[in-house]
Amino acid sequence: MGLFDRTTAGYESAPISVRVERGALAFFAETIGETDPIHCDAGVARAAGHPDVVAPATYPVVLEMAAQKQAARSGATDIQDLIGVDNRYVLHGTEAYEYHGLIFAGDEIEVINRVTGFSDAKQGALEIAHLEMEIRHPDRGTLAIAERKLIHRLPPEAQS
């Protein structure tokens, strides 16, 4: 018996709309030490052929958090609550990003979360939730897909 609610496999959230703000994006770039001015100076970004400031590669995590806050405001269930994450036992597993297009300041994007499945490891001592987040633009399509794994370290009484 695991801790995750495995009946949620296959779940897909409704799209959550998030606006990419230039100031927040530039602040994030500065905070992570990004030195390429296309990430904080609209003039430089436009001179390089972009419509506005370009989000750094790690920015999707910020968009995911913004989408979670937006979803909570509208009464939607957080994906971690949905699958039954017990923060006493959860570990962050792997995370991978697949990029299909750039994200720009001013974009109105959609974030869609999915529960793609569950698995076990270490002879049942670990339970793994496989999650996916898609960032989509209404005109440019899928811009990024993040795959991540959350791992429950099962207490002995929960191991099968």
Side-chain angles (χ1 to χ4, degrees):
M1 166 183 117
L3 299 176
F4 287 128
D5 178 357
R6 292 182 181 224
T7 66
T8 60
Y11 169 82
E12 179 173 302
S13 73
I16 303 161
S17 183
V18 176
R19 183 161 189 76
V20 181
E21 300 289 340
R22 184 187 297 145
L25 200 156
F27 177 76
F28 179 80
E30 180 182 351
T31 300
I32 64 168
E34 178 57 65
T35 58
D36 189 334
I38 66 167
H39 300 295
C40 58
D41 186 319
V44 172
R46 288 186 183 110
H50 304 295
D52 209 318
V53 172
V54 179
T58 54
Y59 200 68
V61 72
V62 173
L63 297 174
E64 179 180 25
M65 286 187 278
Q68 285 174 345
K69 286 182 182 180
Q70 183 65 22
R73 282 186 216 109
S74 68
T77 302
D78 180 80
I79 197 159
Q80 290 191 24
D81 291 338
L82 179 80
I83 66 173
V85 168
D86 185 332
N87 286 315
R88 297 174 300 170
Y89 303 107
V90 74
L91 300 169
H92 183 78
T94 60
E95 188 165 283
Y97 290 89
E98 182 180 302
Y99 298 97
H100 299 275
L102 296 175
I103 299 168
F104 302 106
D107 278 349
E108 188 77 29
I109 55 97
E110 294 179 330
V111 175
I112 299 100
N113 287 298
R114 298 181 184 99
V115 179
T116 58
F118 297 93
S119 61
D120 298 301
K122 300 283 185 184
Q123 296 155 357
L126 300 176
E127 182 182 29
I128 305 164
H130 303 268
L131 307 176
E132 180 179 277
M133 174 191 63
E134 178 182 359
I135 297 173
R136 187 168 54 201
H137 186 274
D139 299 322
R140 299 192 319 268
T142 300
L143 302 177
I145 295 177
E147 294 179 359
R148 65 185 166 132
K149 295 177 182 162
L150 294 180
I151 304 167
H152 268 156
R153 296 174 292 121
L154 298 179
E157 64 274 10
Q159 295 179 28
S160 41

